Amino acid sequence: MIRWLFLSSIFALGLFGFDLKSLFTYTFDASKNYDTQKGKELYFHNKCHTCHGELGEKSSANFEALKDMSPADIKAALIGYDLEGGAMNRVTHSRKLSHSDMDTLIAYIKGEDFAVKLQAEDLLEKEPPQKTKHGIFIK
């Protein structure tokens, strides 16, 4: 009975156009204009640049460069640090950041049109990996 209820609810959500991906990952509004200047101010005010560099280009043994991370991974890290604590909380004020502020920070790091690029990537069909040395794809 529970299995049937679960499967029918998934079907109903899919039928009405609900994006199931948003249940499992962070999504960003492609129609929103993100203020990169405000993102820069937040980035420097919260002293992110001291460890991550001016544009998120620095990495260390403890963390990956922000510019190389996906927007969803950056947001997950910010929320994770906010909930769990960690080394980042000793240096920054991540607990004071709203989700909107986090999105604005991500826009500063990834570029103001990052959400549009993410949406375009989701819509494009990717080629399957090559399976033979002659470049023939196996379906």
Side-chain angles (χ1 to χ4, degrees), residues 40-139:
K40 183 176 183 178
E41 291 168 11
L42 284 168
Y43 190 80
F44 283 90
H45 175 73
N46 289 301
K47 298 179 177 49
C48 303
H49 67 285
T50 56
C51 294
H52 296 288
E54 289 194 22
L55 293 171
E57 73 278 0
K58 287 185 182 178
S59 64
S60 77
N62 297 331
F63 57 84
E64 185 178 350
L66 295 175
K67 70 177 184 77
D68 296 335
M69 294 173 67
S70 72
D73 289 344
I74 295 171
K75 190 158 186 176
L78 285 169
I79 291 171
Y81 284 123
D82 184 24
L83 296 175
E84 300 166 10
M88 190 173 95
N89 275 339
R90 292 185 211 132
V91 181
T92 67
H93 309 283
S94 66
R95 291 180 190 266
K96 297 178 184 176
L97 293 174
S98 67
H99 284 271
S100 177
D101 287 344
M102 291 178 191
D103 293 349
T104 304
L105 273 172
I106 292 167
Y108 169 68
I109 296 164
K110 303 303 273 182
E112 99 183 277
D113 61 344
F114 79 98
V116 174
K117 290 178 184 174
L118 284 176
Q119 187 178 37
E121 286 175 10
D122 285 345
L123 295 174
L124 292 176
E125 187 176 318
K126 296 180 182 172
E127 286 188 9
Q130 289 187 350
K131 299 293 181 180
T132 67
K133 65 181 180 178
H134 302 291
I136 299 171
F137 295 96
I138 300 173
K139 289 187 178 184

Side-chain angles (χ1 to χ4, degrees), residues 31-46:
S31 64
K32 182 177 177 184
N33 290 326
Y34 294 98
D35 184 1
T36 54
Q37 184 59 36
K38 182 182 176 195
K40 183 176 183 178
E41 291 168 11
L42 284 168
Y43 190 80
F44 283 90
H45 175 73
N46 289 301

Side-chain angles (χ1 to χ4, degrees), residues 6-20:
F6 176 74
L7 291 174
S8 62
S9 64
I10 296 290
F11 176 73
L13 289 173
L15 185 65
F16 293 110
F18 185 78
D19 184 10
L20 291 176

